[in-house]
Amino acid sequence: MSMGRDNDPMNTIGFQTAVARPPRWRWLVLAAGILAASPSSAGSLRCGSRLVDENALAAELLSACGEPSLRDQWSYQLPQGGYVADTEVWVYDLGPSQLLRLVKLRNGRIVEVETDGYGFAPDSAPRCEPRALTEGLSKYRLLRRCGEPLTRRSENVLRPLYSRPEIYRHSSDPYAYRNQYVTPAYREEWVYNFGSRAAMRLVVLEDGWVTYVEQLDRGFDPR
């Protein structure tokens, strides 16, 4: 499904934290590496007769393809303060006969193009049920299936390169990854309510993809 999400430099540059608050130079090294690295995947997006390649400007993408179906934006924040890079994902939904295109931009330029299965008919309505919430969904596909959540929150976290999700799913300590190789990630927690006959669901997204789904208490009917 992906054309290179696992090879994104944001997911492959690691460093080791040995104390609760790592030395500032380590964060500066990480920031420099992220900004200098280039993605290993090569992708492009064709809109009509025009082809938009990686490293093109956001303005060139808009000129060729128009407004996307969704613009998702976040920044990676370091524990010592400051931001590494502004990141956006623009989703182009070209209908049910073509694959969704997810275009990642960093600091105003395209760094990666991914696909995410076939798109949706323009008039298709959300049809959501608890079993539709699964790991691996993109944010756009989740929104098209289930609409907006009941509640949402977001935060910047440090994600281990060698995944041990129990460390951060049940810890409020932002330095829970100490003594591990980690990379910054933008995490969101959405809660969906399915009414009084079903349990609510907590959906965790990282960098625009669902990574975890948890069953909560029984939901409630709107008043």
Side-chain angles (χ1 to χ4, degrees), residues 107 158 195 206:
N107 294 330
L158 297 179
E206 289 188 356

Side-chain angles (χ1 to χ4, degrees), residues 149-155 157 168-171 186-192 201-206 212 214:
L150 175 67
T151 64
R152 64 166 76 193
R153 64 181 294 268
S154 62
E155 62 182 338
V157 299
Y168 62 89
R169 287 178 183 163
H170 304 292
S171 175
Y186 180 72
R187 186 174 75 180
E188 298 173 85
E189 293 182 357
W190 295 10
V191 175
Y192 280 94
R201 295 295 192 276
L202 169 67
V203 180
V204 177
L205 303 96
E206 289 188 356
Y212 179 63
E214 180 179 337

Side-chain angles (χ1 to χ4, degrees), residues 12 78-79 93-94 104 132 143 216-217:
T12 56
L78 300 178
D93 187 346
L94 306 177
K104 179 180 289 186
L143 287 169
L216 303 177
D217 294 335

Side-chain angles (χ1 to χ4, degrees), residues 45-66:
L45 173 63
R46 180 175 294 279
C47 295
S49 61
R50 299 181 63 178
L51 188 67
V52 183
D53 295 312
E54 292 180 2
N55 206 41
L57 292 169
E60 295 175 305
L61 176 60
L62 284 172
S63 175
C65 302

Side-chain angles (χ1 to χ4, degrees), residues 120-129 141-147:
F120 296 83
D123 57 350
S124 61
R127 298 179 59 184
C128 187
E129 53 187 16
R141 190 168 294 279
L142 174 61
L143 287 169
R144 289 303 304 259
R145 283 187 181 182
C146 296

Side-chain angles (χ1 to χ4, degrees), residues 167-185:
I167 292 177
Y168 62 89
R169 287 178 183 163
H170 304 292
S171 175
S172 59
D173 178 8
Y175 300 100
Y177 300 130
R178 62 177 65 91
N179 296 323
Q180 296 194 62
Y181 287 93
V182 296
T183 188

Side-chain angles (χ1 to χ4, degrees), residues 104-123:
K104 179 180 289 186
L105 302 100
R106 189 163 297 130
N107 294 330
R109 286 187 179 272
I110 297 174
V111 296
E112 187 176 22
V113 179
E114 299 179 291
T115 59
D116 180 33
Y118 287 97
F120 296 83
D123 57 350

